[in-house]
Amino acid sequence: MITDYLRPTSISEAFETLTELGPAGRLVGGGTELAIHPPADVSTLIDLSAAGLRFIEADETFIHVGATSTLTDMLEYARCATSWSGVVHTMLRQVASPLHRNAATIGGHLARGRLSDVVPTLMAVDATVLFFDGEHRSVPIVDFYADNLKRNTIVVTGVRIPLDDGEAAFRKFARTTYDLATLNTAVGIRRTGEEVTWARIVVGERPTLGMPLPEASELLVGKPLTSDSIARASQVARDTVDVRSDPRGSAEYRRHLAEVLVRRCLSEIAGEEVFA
Amino acid sequence: MRFTVNDQVFDIDVDPGASLLDLLRRLGFYGVKNGCDNGDCGACAVLVDARSVTSCDYPARAAEGKRIVTVEGLAPSGSLHPLQAAFLDTGAVQCGFCTPGMLISAVELLEHNPDPSESEVREALRGNLCRCTGYTKPVEAIQLAAARMREVDHD
């Protein structure tokens, strides 16, 4: 039961409060999850809205997004609609509804990790998670989840997206436009001329956390993007993705979706005509 | 905690675990509907600092210092907001339970986009579920209101 609601005015104050309270304290971004499903052992909500983390700005190399920026803030930020083929913008338009995007924050989203179109997309654009654990730290988003850092006592302070010539695409399949994805895919590549120099294929909502598929991604590197390489990478994505059944779809169906959606992402990047 | 609802200032104690929906209904703003209490249906939508949110999954205490507008605030003088008039004229209301939320979503849409296409209206209503009339009439109503509001702006 929630008996206290705090609003620290700095990151370090939020971290100290969280450390003192232990499992009884929980950080709040937009609160869209915690207002409905407060964990039974949590008694104090620590609202980050006064900690100075609502900003989005770009320098020459990165877009910096503060943790309490809403998904709408990101959706309306012009560079999110132009860098990496505008994939962050395209993806966010498909997340929940304006009613949630206006409240939900990127920090809250990253701290949860699951049930997300955002995390796979940020993985595909090679983003870095920023957090505070007594010191300010930054970790590539893929490692942040692989090492399960979100379980530690930390304050997620933001995310940064590299501004280079990367290209990307996102696809989700859901029972209705407004439902959580049955499965989603995000693909980012970097090319020098025609040659792919870096690739990351990510499958999310398997139904668990977004999963990069290195084997499928590596197949694309060192050559141009062709129908053959796209087909091969999509097949390897299907064969190597770790999927499970839940009420939204069977493991078998998810495996099928992974191949189709990875192929559509890659075809879109290659400029081939793709269905949906 | 201090906040305003429809330009009325409140300075009251608020339960740390309450949702904004609970708070508003306790204060008598019954136009804010409790449809699902799970963030799914949009019947509880209100504007917080001019942005539409579902109030059931918005912590009440997060509204400290904010300016809230409920459906009651759309017609402060008793004369209907153009969106409300258009919903009536178009027949966009059946049971009416989803209507306050749809109106709130539409207010935000027209604030940012005075001439939305049908698909833009539908996208704006993604989070508002209607279980009786469907969406055709509300979409028409919002476009009608937009057209009327553009005319007024030109005059």
Side-chain angles (χ1 to χ4, degrees):
Chain A
M1 184 173 157
I2 305 300
T3 54
D4 214 354
Y5 193 97
L6 307 175
R7 197 190 295 263
T9 53
S10 70
I11 297 164
S12 54
E13 188 191 339
F15 176 73
E16 280 158 26
T17 309
L18 185 65
T19 308
E20 272 167 35
L21 290 169
R26 190 63 67 92
L27 298 173
V28 176
T32 51
E33 169 108 1
L34 287 170
I36 302 178
H37 306 293
D41 55 342
V42 172
S43 61
T44 302
L45 297 180
I46 307 165
D47 181 329
L48 288 173
S49 63
L53 289 170
R54 189 167 180 180
F55 60 85
I56 308 185
E57 58 203 20
D59 56 26
E60 283 180 9
T61 42
F62 294 103
I63 301 172
H64 303 265
V65 186
T68 57
S69 303
T70 64
L71 298 186
T72 298
D73 292 340
M74 288 180 76
L75 186 59
E76 292 177 351
Y77 186 69
R79 301 294 287 269
C80 286
T82 53
S83 63
W84 291 90
S85 318
V87 72
V88 172
H89 181 91
T90 305
M91 172 273 299
L92 285 172
R93 279 182 58 184
Q94 299 172 59
V95 172
S97 73
L99 297 172
H100 296 112
R101 297 193 300 250
N102 283 340
T105 62
I106 185 65
H109 209 93
L110 291 169
R112 179 177 69 176
R114 299 163 47 243
L115 309 175
S116 178
D117 297 326
V118 179
V119 169
T121 304
L122 290 177
M123 286 178 169
V125 301
D126 203 12
T128 296
V129 176
L130 312 175
F131 63 92
F132 184 84
D133 65 357
E135 283 178 56
H136 286 279
R137 298 185 192 278
S138 59
V139 169
I141 187 167
V142 169
D143 299 339
F144 182 79
Y145 291 110
D147 298 340
N148 210 3
L149 295 179
K150 68 187 174 70
R151 295 294 295 273
N152 295 358
T153 301
I154 60 167
V155 179
V156 173
T157 56
V159 65
R160 69 175 184 233
I161 300 167
L163 282 170
D164 53 39
D165 294 333
E167 300 162 89
F170 169 80
R171 284 290 188 283
K172 80 189 267 188
F173 185 89
R175 299 178 300 182
T176 68
T177 54
Y178 178 49
D179 194 12
L180 292 165
T182 302
L183 186 118
N184 57 33
T185 60
V187 177
I189 69 164
R190 291 179 172 119
R191 290 193 269 197
T192 302
E194 290 287 292
E195 189 186 308
V196 176
T197 55
W198 180 91
R200 182 172 288 155
I201 296 172
V202 186
V203 178
E205 295 300 284
R206 316 168 280 114
T208 44
L209 203 59
M211 175 188 187
L213 301 175
E215 220 178 302
S217 308
E218 281 306 312
L219 278 174
L220 299 167
V221 175
K223 53 192 149 205
L225 213 48
T226 63
S227 304
D228 279 353
S229 71
I230 290 171
R232 185 83 194 104
S234 310
Q235 285 156 10
V236 172
R238 177 196 63 201
D239 295 341
T240 56
V241 69
D242 186 14
V243 284
R244 249 186 21 216
S245 299
D246 78 348
R248 283 195 172 78
S250 67
E252 187 188 6
Y253 185 54
R254 284 198 161 91
R255 200 170 283 290
H256 166 73
L257 280 176
E259 176 177 3
V260 173
L261 299 187
V262 167
R263 189 172 66 235
R264 287 179 187 170
C265 282
L266 284 166
S267 301
E268 181 184 305
I269 295 171
E272 291 177 20
E273 200 172 314
V274 282
F275 169 69
Chain B
M1 131 179 171
R2 196 180 164 88
F3 58 101
T4 71
V5 185
N6 306 331
D7 290 330
Q8 188 182 345
V9 179
F10 290 87
D11 202 340
I12 52 172
D13 288 334
V14 175
D15 173 2
S19 68
L20 183 56
L21 169 65
D22 292 339
L23 173 63
L24 291 170
R25 287 188 63 87
R26 279 180 201 142
L27 292 174
F29 297 97
Y30 299 125
V32 188
K33 300 301 180 198
N34 186 346
C36 67
D37 215 8
N38 197 40
D40 290 328
C41 77
C44 66
V46 298
L47 297 173
V48 176
D49 285 351
R51 289 292 193 173
S52 58
V53 302
T54 37
S55 59
C56 70
D57 58 4
Y58 194 100
R61 292 283 285 269
E64 183 167 357
K66 310 265 192 201
R67 197 172 158 268
I68 296 155
V69 176
T70 69
V71 71
E72 289 94 339
L74 297 187
S77 62
S79 61
L80 293 181
H81 186 284
L83 276 161
Q84 292 171 308
F87 266 62
L88 278 179
D89 295 343
T90 312
V93 179
Q94 192 166 318
C95 90
F97 205 79
C98 69
T99 309
M102 286 205 180
L103 289 168
I104 292 291
S105 288
V107 167
E108 187 188 350
L109 170 69
L110 297 189
E111 184 67 32
H112 294 93
N113 182 354
D115 188 10
S117 66
E118 183 189 330
S119 69
E120 286 167 338
V121 175
R122 288 182 179 274
E123 200 162 318
L125 292 184
R126 275 171 77 101
N128 297 94
L129 302 185
C130 170
R131 298 294 80 169
C132 37
T133 72
Y135 303 94
T136 305
K137 293 294 178 184
V139 171
E140 280 175 25
I142 292 168
Q143 289 192 296
L144 174 64
R148 288 174 176 172
M149 288 164 76
R150 289 197 305 275
E151 267 175 38
V152 172
D153 281 348
H154 285 166
D155 288 348

